[in-house]
Amino acid sequence: MLYMRQYTKFMMLSYALALVLLCLTAVFFTYTNINDKYLDTFVFVIVGVTNLIGSMLIAKKIKERGIVLGMIFGIIYFLLIYLLSGISFGFVINSSVGIYLGVAILTGMLGGILGVNI
């Protein structure tokens, strides 16, 4: 639990950035004629980018085991989103959950690799 403070700090930063980007996406979809079927794609990209940034920052701070730290960051990131959405809307397991988990793990690992090496 040596890295708990860093994980918490960068997790909060990632969620704050995701919240801002999701609000901007909501405004964008509200005031344009873009079909709502593209909303899932926007959300996947936002989850991936914010997870990538958070895992890259934590790996850059710790400077070792980037792939492992990034993967752990991605799993925690996903689990918190899943818990909050499950409490709010009910727990559902479908293909979207698997895709979100995969995106979170892969972008977390990529962010960890980039964070250690940059």
Side-chain angles (χ1 to χ4, degrees):
M1 298 307 122
L2 180 64
Y3 305 128
M4 186 72 102
R5 178 182 264 177
Q6 283 87 7
Y7 269 100
T8 303
K9 181 171 90 173
F10 293 122
M11 193 69 63
M12 289 173 52
L13 178 70
S14 292
Y15 283 131
L17 181 60
L19 182 63
V20 169
L21 291 174
L22 288 171
C23 287
L24 289 174
T25 300
V27 169
F28 182 71
F29 272 83
T30 300
Y31 293 109
T32 62
N33 292 330
I34 295 179
N35 194 339
D36 287 343
K37 71 179 181 178
Y38 299 115
L39 184 60
D40 280 342
T41 305
F42 274 77
V43 173
F44 282 131
V45 169
I46 290 170
V47 166
V49 167
T50 56
N51 187 29
L52 179 83
I53 291 169
S55 60
M56 190 167 55
L57 291 173
I58 194 164
K60 187 172 182 145
K61 177 82 172 172
I62 296 172
K63 298 184 191 281
E64 62 182 26
R65 298 180 303 156
I67 196 166
V68 174
L69 292 173
M71 184 176 65
I72 292 169
F73 188 91
I75 291 170
I76 294 170
Y77 187 90
F78 165 78
L79 288 175
L80 289 174
I81 289 175
Y82 185 70
L83 282 172
L84 290 174
S85 66
I87 290 169
S88 300
F89 304 110
F91 291 97
V92 176
I93 296 178
N94 56 24
S95 62
S96 293
V97 173
I99 293 170
Y100 275 109
L101 178 60
V103 166
I105 290 173
L106 290 176
T107 56
M109 290 168 59
L110 179 62
I113 292 168
L114 291 174
V116 168
N117 293 311
I118 291 179

